[in-house]
Amino acid sequence: MRRLTWFNVTSLTLGFAFLYIPIVILVIYSFNASKLVTVWAGFSTRWYFELMRNEAFLSAAWVTLKVALASSTAATVLGTMAAYVMVRGGRFFGRTLFSGMIYAPLVMPEVITGLSLLLLFIAVGLERGVFTVVLAHTTFSMCYVSIVVSSRLATFDRSIEEAALDLGCTPFDAFRSVTLPIIAPAVISGWLLAFTLSLDDLVIASFTTGPASTTLPIRIFGSIRLGVSPEINALSTILIAIVTIGVITASLVSKRAIARRRAEERRAAGA
């Protein structure tokens, strides 16, 4: 184990300060009573109530949530199917092309992806709206799900699945009863990753959205072009709080599951 040196501690401190001090300042100024975000005029929760009455932000948040839920679910289903084919399908005609099409969105600039999808929707005469944003987010996020799930399938012990087949299960029943529960953590992780990518996307959504389907990142970007308002600070603080609560909850659930599994192992060893 390497010892901590003054250089390592200083580098770590500066790195965390660079990342988190702006966030702390943003949270503090979200409680500023002044309309000017750079002038402190006292503590106030005024802008949180103003945000709750802002129909534009509320509507954009609802659209973003709908898009994220729909696209992450579709991307998880398609990504899991693609991963299963890549890992279990062996060598088949067009495998290289299929693999390249899955991994292409990982390395392709989002501007190119958004522009190509825009041209496709125009060519087929599909009106831009929530549905087109869902299609676009599903397209670029399913590759992330595929990578996460395929990494778990590659290390999966197939003898368990074969035992289920020997005991009379059909291939679908074996997948549903044996394979899917084992790879469920990877599938859930892929869904969460796709959900996060959809919530955060700005570039692709700006190409594929319509006038009545503005997402929250687009609304925020459009607002800060005229200057950062205290409402943006309040909205950002709410998002930070949601993410923090989610991370802490997931950590506690994971620790509790590990502790429960260890207790069961100790009871089984004692028996």
Side-chain angles (χ1 to χ4, degrees):
M1 184 176 179
R2 298 180 59 183
R3 294 190 309 169
L4 288 177
T5 64
W6 67 269
F7 178 78
N8 293 337
V9 173
T10 303
S11 300
L12 190 63
T13 302
L14 291 176
F16 278 112
F18 178 79
L19 290 174
Y20 291 108
I21 285 180
I23 297 177
V24 173
I25 294 174
L26 181 146
V27 172
I28 292 174
Y29 273 86
S30 68
F31 297 99
N32 186 12
S34 173
K35 290 185 178 181
L36 301 176
V37 295
T38 57
V39 178
W40 181 260
F43 181 87
S44 174
T45 58
R46 165 191 175 187
W47 303 112
Y48 289 90
F49 293 101
E50 292 289 338
L51 179 64
M52 293 299 104
R53 291 193 292 266
N54 193 319
E55 293 294 334
F57 279 117
L58 294 178
S59 176
W62 175 239
V63 170
T64 302
L65 185 60
K66 289 192 297 183
V67 169
L69 289 172
S71 63
S72 59
T73 302
T76 301
V77 174
L78 296 176
T80 302
M81 294 171 61
Y84 194 86
V85 170
M86 290 297 298
V87 176
R88 300 291 180 84
R91 302 198 61 83
F92 56 89
F93 179 76
R95 177 186 173 88
T96 303
L97 178 62
F98 182 73
S99 177
M101 292 175 65
I102 291 176
Y103 297 133
L106 290 172
V107 297
M108 189 177 298
E110 290 188 353
V111 174
I112 303 301
T113 303
L115 180 59
S116 61
L117 289 171
L118 171 62
L119 295 177
L120 173 64
F121 296 148
I122 293 176
V124 300
L126 190 61
E127 184 178 356
R128 286 180 292 165
V130 174
F131 182 65
T132 55
V133 181
V134 171
L135 290 179
H137 285 186
T138 302
T139 300
F140 85 89
S141 61
M142 66 172 289
C143 61
Y144 294 91
V145 179
S146 178
I147 290 175
V148 173
V149 176
S150 61
S151 63
R152 181 65 185 92
L153 283 171
T155 59
F156 179 78
D157 187 3
R158 297 192 63 177
S159 62
I160 304 176
E161 197 176 52
E162 293 170 356
L165 294 173
D166 292 338
L167 293 173
C169 286
T170 63
F172 177 75
D173 289 335
F175 175 81
R176 179 176 56 85
S177 303
V178 178
T179 307
L180 188 58
I182 293 177
I183 67 172
V187 175
I188 295 173
S189 299
W191 187 91
L192 291 173
L193 180 59
F195 184 81
T196 304
L197 290 171
S198 179
L199 286 178
D200 187 57
D201 177 66
L202 170 66
V203 178
I204 295 178
S206 64
F207 282 97
T208 57
T209 190
S213 57
T214 302
T215 61
L216 191 58
I218 295 177
R219 177 68 64 184
I220 293 174
F221 180 74
S223 299
I224 64 175
R225 291 169 62 183
L226 303 177
V228 179
S229 66
E231 291 182 9
I232 299 296
N233 291 343
L235 176 60
S236 302
T237 302
I238 293 174
L239 294 176
I240 293 170
I242 293 174
V243 171
T244 303
I245 293 172
V247 171
I248 293 174
T249 303
S251 178
L252 293 176
V253 170
S254 177
K255 289 182 179 180
R256 183 172 298 179
I258 293 173
R260 187 184 302 113
R261 185 170 63 250
R262 289 178 178 175
E264 293 174 354
E265 290 175 354
R266 286 195 298 267
R267 286 196 299 266

